[in-house]
Structures are given as structure tokens and as C-alpha cells.
Amino acid sequence: MATVLDVFLWLIFPYICLTIFVLGHIVRYRYDKFGWTSRSSQMYEDSILRWANPMFHFGILAVFVGHVMGLGIPQSWTDAVGISHEAYHFMAISVGALAGVFTIVGLIGLLYRRRFTKLVLGATTKMDKLMYLMLGIVILSGLVNTGSGAVGDYNYREGVSVWFRSIFYFNPRPELMPDAPLSFQIHALAAIALFALWPFTRLVHAFTAPLGYFFRPYVLYRSRDAHEGSRARRRGWDKVDTIPRRR
Amino acid sequence: MKVMAQMAMVMNLDKCIGCHTCSVTCKQVWTNKSGAEHVWFNNVETRPGQGYPRTYEDQDKWKGGWTLNKRGKLKLKAGGRLKNLATIFSNPNLPGINDYYEPWTYDYENLTTAPAQDHMPVARPKSLLTGENTEITWSSNWDDDLAGSVEHGHNDPILKQVGDKIKFEYEQAFMFYLPRICEHCLNPSCVASCPTGAIYKREEDGIVLVDQDRCRGWRQCVTGCPYKKMYFNHKTGKVEKCTFCYPRIEIGQPTICSETCVGRLRYLGLMFYDQDSVLEAASTTDEHGLYEAQRDVFLDPKDPEVIRQARLADIPEDWIEAAQRSPIWSLINEYKVALPLHPEYRTMPMVWYIPPLSPVVDAVSETGEDAERKDNLFAAIDRLRIPIEYLAGLFTAGDTAPVDKVLRKLAAMRSYMRDINMGWETNESIAEAVGMTGQEIKDMYRLLAIAKYDERYVIPPAHYEDAHKLENIATECSLNVDGGPGMGGMDASFGADPNMGADPGVSSYNGPARPEGVRINLLNWNGQGTPDGLFPDGNDKP
């Protein structure tokens, strides 16, 4: 039976954070497109970033794919296609550990340059620091989970994953989480807190990954009067149609 | 054929005195802000020199612009789409802040707050990035007037191409200035490099702009632009670039760099071009053919078929007329004295240059010969191979023939007009020697040397300006005209104050009031005591 604290941690808190995540992004996209950027510091420092940044980003992308599989795909599905639990587990641990190590080594490099390169440190905001702290906790605890998965016998696909999916079914099952190992609990809580932080940090750049580049012509043309910035004109501010432009 | 209009610029380098007024006014208007200290939409380089950012023309290093692949098709020199996105986390060809310079300010406060000491307090340079003391080692025009060129002049990428070392000794150096803005290319590689698609070319006038709301700071355009005129704002994390002063252009005013150019060397006007043939021209196999290929992309605005197609493309009548009067068209395609900057980058740049004859003239006059005589100048053009190869490296991908031709035309104009100005008999053979008529030379002289404001700048206003005009009627006081009651009201409140400037003891505004009716003449004050009226009453609160 879940206690009040459990209900708060594993039901109320996730919904609050995810609501902030969704609404925060909508509001930020609508009102702060100018602030929507990766705010690259490559101009300041290049030699560490050159290896650390790709390592971190490719690592975290692999980690993301792993999470989609581990959290998103129910165990019953992989069982149905004949992947044994052991085989799945082995693959998840090995690939996950590799991606995790990649990510964390990259992150260490990035944190090092951020702290010890004066130019980069000078361009670091308080929000950046908070974000790095949360990101560090999430990634570190995640790596501990992967490691403990190799030695421990907790099957997250019957616990954490089911709980995680239940949030999105709007049929939450907070009672699954108190039984999870502490590192899993920390990882889940920190990740959810990071989601709440997300729209207010530079992490937003992840949601405008420029995949459209593959599908567009090289040279783009835009008409001057087809747009005034990329913001929609606000209600009540429509222009007076004087002499309509011949089109 | 698809007719497109392009706002273009030509700069007459012979007239540039390197005063940097264009850079300063541009900076004041557009990039006078934190994060954009290193951003010079307009900069003036001394050539030979490394340029700004340093050695930006070395595309083996910076990978800007386009190149041809094995099948003869255009591709971005920095790599295709996949490579572009794969290097998004760490751009291998991005200039660092030190390739520009570390922005700085001075500790001016120390001048007033330093304690009493034996030596004058100084304002030390402080880095604007770290706030710490810094050494100033480079800036946007550190090698101005060949400063320090003995030490690093050989780093000039064009000089390396020419393959011969120019001696950087005072008497032997040839030098000229190269003001640069964004080229607003017909085939812009920055637009092609932007992963997000935030950069675009305006359909109406071809001005290339960055949508600041859509830019995500992926930095690939900085690499893509071979002229390094995409600048990463390190505070906002967005890229900014020369806007061709589009708010001014839209109301028919010249760009701020042109307007404030003391040498009056900039020309602004429309060019019509055939959008369908741009790619083919940019793919010309022979680099030496690119200059001619780009000229072929331009359409004669007096050709009836072009006019018909322009109307079909919805280009307004006054724009067609402006294109017919365009000084750019005259300089590029009639007199053929303007050349593109680095056509070998295959971006089809639209800011062209009239190469400078003055180094040649200087070389002749230094020998004591008559530097206005056609034969002397022509002989010098033949003899001064290194300077001419250098110019060719800038303007014609190394092909000296077009540069030769231009310089001969300028030399011919010089001698032909000298005869007229001296009241001598005109010599038509001078004009014929460069394939022109005397009248053409006179016309060219009028455009280049007299350079009337309304002939230099032929800028048709944009077509929503009608709306603004109508708005002005509604928003401006209709009585505020000469002789109207609204006139002069401002003047009465300024300048008419009898106290201002007359008596330093009495100020008409700011600060606490002086005792009524008491005035003090500081010239008569011996510096002792506190006469009435010198200081405000202690009771007065400021």
C-alpha cells in the first residue's frame, strides 16, 4: 500500500513536472523564440569541446533510444517476438553501459571546460549550473542503475517501466515504485525534476533538432510581406489594408 | 527565364581612403551591443593583408563556399547534408574568438578612483569576456595601412596564391583598401548550410537575412560563408549578418555605409537576373569562366523580352525603370569595370568592385614619368605583374586578363579626361585603345568621378511603403509644415534659453536651483572661498 509520500513522489510530482514540461515549452516557443538556442560556446573554446561535445551528444542520443526501448516497449511484446529476458537484459546492459560511459566522459569534459576555461565560465548562467547539476545526477544515477542491473536482480521492466507508462495512460500506479532500488528512485525523480526544468534552460534546443535539413532545397526564398518575423500577428493588430500589393 | 530583382552594390576602390567611416556608422547602427563586439557587418581591410577574420580567404582551412564534386555538380565545400548534421555538435571549421579578437574595454573608472600616487593612473585594457586584465594583440583592422605586415603580411592567402613575396618595404609596397559587407549572393552558401532554414533570400530584392526567431545557433553558416560575414553573437547564441540596411533600402534610402562614405565610392542599384540559370553558371567548370558566367546571368533591363518577363514576375513598373537606370548595370555590364569578389567561391556574390588603378599611378609617378599619360600607364600595367596578379586573385579567380582590361579603361579615362580638363585637344585614339568612344568615357567619368548622389544610388522603394505613406498622413500633424503653426515650436524650447552657455554658474536644467537672481562669473573667481550662487543651498534637495 502506498503511503502519502509515495503518492506524492510517484503520482503528484510527476504530473506537476510533466505539466510544467509541456506548458513551459508551449509558452517559451510562443513568447521566447529568440531565446530558443543551443547557445554554443564553441567560439570560446574548441579543443576540449571538439571531442567532448560529440561524445556527450551521440552518447545521450543512444541513451535516449535505449530508454524508448526499455521504458516504452512492454516486456510482453519482446517476449512475444521470442527475445528472452536474459538476451534482452544482456543487450540492454552492454549497449547501455557503453552509451552511458560515452555520455559521462563527454559530460566530464564539458563540465571541465565550463569550469576551468575562463571564457566559458564567464558565459555560464545560474540556470546552466542548475541544469548541469540535475543532468549530472540523472546521468550518474542512470549509470549506477545500469551497473547494478548487471549484478542485481531487479527487473525494471516489471517495475519502473510499468509505472512510467502508467503515467501516460492516466492510470498511474505509484505503488510500483517504493519497491525499486534507491538508485532507480533517485534516477526517476531527478529525471522528472529535470523535465520540469527543461523548458527554462538551453536544453530546449533538443526539440528543434534540424532534421528538416535533409528534405529542403539548399537556397530558401521568402517574400518580404509574407511574414513579419515568425511570430503570428496578435489578435487586434491586423494591418489596415491600404493598397493591396499586386500578387 | 525567371526574372528576379537583386539589390546590389559596387565599390570603386580607387576612391577608398581607408577612413573606416562605413565600419563605424554601420557598427553604431547595427552591432553596438554586448555579444556583438567582434561583429563588423562592414569592415575595411588593408590589402595585402590577412583580412578579418584572419586569413578568411584560405578556404583549404575554413571550407567556405561551394566546390564542384567529381561529377561536376555543386556541393558545399564543408560537406553535404549528412556531414553538416553530423558535425553540428562540434563544427571543425569554426573560427574561434581569437581568429577575430578578444573584445576589450578600458578601466576608465581607475582614472578617477585611483588613490594619490606618484604616477598618473592608467586605464588598463580589460577583457569583455572575462573582465580580467588583457593584452590587446589583434582587432578588426590591426594590420591597417600595412601595420606589422613585415611580420605577418606573408600570411595573406591571396599573396600565397600569387606565389611571389611582395616586399613589405615602404617604397615598394603597393597598398589599397577593401571595404567588405555581406555579398548577398545569388547562390548563397550560408543559406544552404543552415540546418534550420533560418536564413533566407528575399524574393523582392535578394537581400539575405537571418530570421532571429528561427536561428538555433548551429553555427554551420559561419563555416558556409566563404567571406566570413556570418557572425555568431556569443551572448545571444544566434547568428547575425549584414542586412543591407533593408529598413532604409525599403524606403529608398542608401545603406548607412553608403550614405556615410566620405569617398562616395559606393553605388547601389538593382540588377535583374535569371534565377533559372544561376545554378548552371555557378557550376561553370573553369574558375576563370565564373566572372563571365555570372555576367551572363544578369538580364538587360532594357531588353523588351526581359521587361515582359519582369512584368509577368510581378516586378513593379518603377522597379523596372530603376533597373534601367541602375549604376550597377552600367558598371558591370556596360563599362565592364566592376568585378566580383572571389567568384571562385561559386556563391555568385552581388557586391562588386572596381579594382584600384592608383597603385599603378603611384608606381609611375614615383619614377618621375607623366602618370597621366596613357602609354606610361599602359606600360606600367604590363609591367606591374605582381600587383595585377594579386588583384586577379581577389576579383577574377586569378585570371589577369579582365583586370588588365579594367585598369586600361581606368587609365584611358584618366588620360582622356586630363586632355579635356587641361583644355587640350581630345584624343579619340585613347578611347579607341580600350574599345570605347569618347562619349562613353565621359559618361563613365561622370558616374565614377562626379558620382552624383542620385546617380550613385538608384533605389526604388519597396511596395508596402504606400501603406506607411498613408499612415503618416494620419499620424503626423498636418500643420507641421514650413510656415504652419507647428513649425518652430521645438526651436523655441531649445537654444532660446539665455542662460545656456552664457553663464556657467546658472544652469537652465538638471541639478538643484541656484539662488534667484545671483550670477557668478567663473572667470573672475580666484578659486578661494564659496561666493554666493556658486553652490546650491544646502537645503535644496537635488
Side-chain angles (χ1 to χ4, degrees), chain A residues 33-34 36-38 40 42-44 53 118 208 213 216 220-224 227 230-231 247, chain B residues 81 89 91 97 132 191-192 194 201-204 211 213 216 219 234 237-238 250 275 314 462:
Chain A
K33 282 204 185 96
F34 182 62
W36 199 289
T37 156
S38 52
S40 162
Q42 189 180 352
M43 258 184 94
Y44 294 143
N53 209 35
K118 275 178 188 158
T208 45
Y213 188 53
R216 72 164 173 85
L220 301 174
Y221 294 86
R222 260 202 229 174
S223 178
R224 186 186 58 237
H227 90 115
S230 45
R231 293 177 177 89
R247 277 266 112 212
Chain B
R81 294 174 198 257
F89 302 127
N91 181 341
I97 192 74
E132 294 175 1
V191 178
C194 176
K201 200 166 170 60
R202 296 214 301 191
E203 278 170 20
E204 289 84 356
D211 185 337
D213 275 354
R216 306 282 170 241
R219 321 175 296 293
H234 58 86
K238 307 238 161 180
E250 282 177 8
Q275 195 197 11
D314 265 351

Side-chain angles (χ1 to χ4, degrees), chain B residues 84-113:
Chain B
N84 179 306
L85 289 197
T87 55
I88 208 166
F89 302 127
S90 165
N91 181 341
N93 310 307
L94 187 77
I97 192 74
N98 287 325
D99 292 306
Y100 300 91
Y101 59 93
E102 186 171 349
W104 75 89
T105 183
Y106 294 94
D107 183 14
Y108 297 108
E109 197 188 0
N110 187 48
L111 299 179
T112 53
T113 59

Side-chain angles (χ1 to χ4, degrees), chain B residues 210-229:
Chain B
V210 182
D211 185 337
Q212 291 285 302
D213 275 354
R214 289 194 67 190
C215 173
R216 306 282 170 241
W218 302 126
R219 321 175 296 293
Q220 303 290 16
C221 58
V222 182
T223 301
C225 175
Y227 303 95
K228 290 292 169 280
K229 279 292 171 187

Side-chain angles (χ1 to χ4, degrees), chain B residues 25-55:
Chain B
T25 51
C26 172
K27 184 109 187 130
Q28 286 296 329
V29 168
W30 290 106
T31 58
N32 186 12
K33 54 193 175 182
S34 175
E37 300 92 346
H38 67 296
V39 180
W40 294 86
F41 290 170
N42 183 109
N43 73 304
V44 182
E45 298 166 2
T46 301
R47 305 312 296 256
Q50 299 184 65
Y52 180 76
R54 262 175 278 189
T55 70

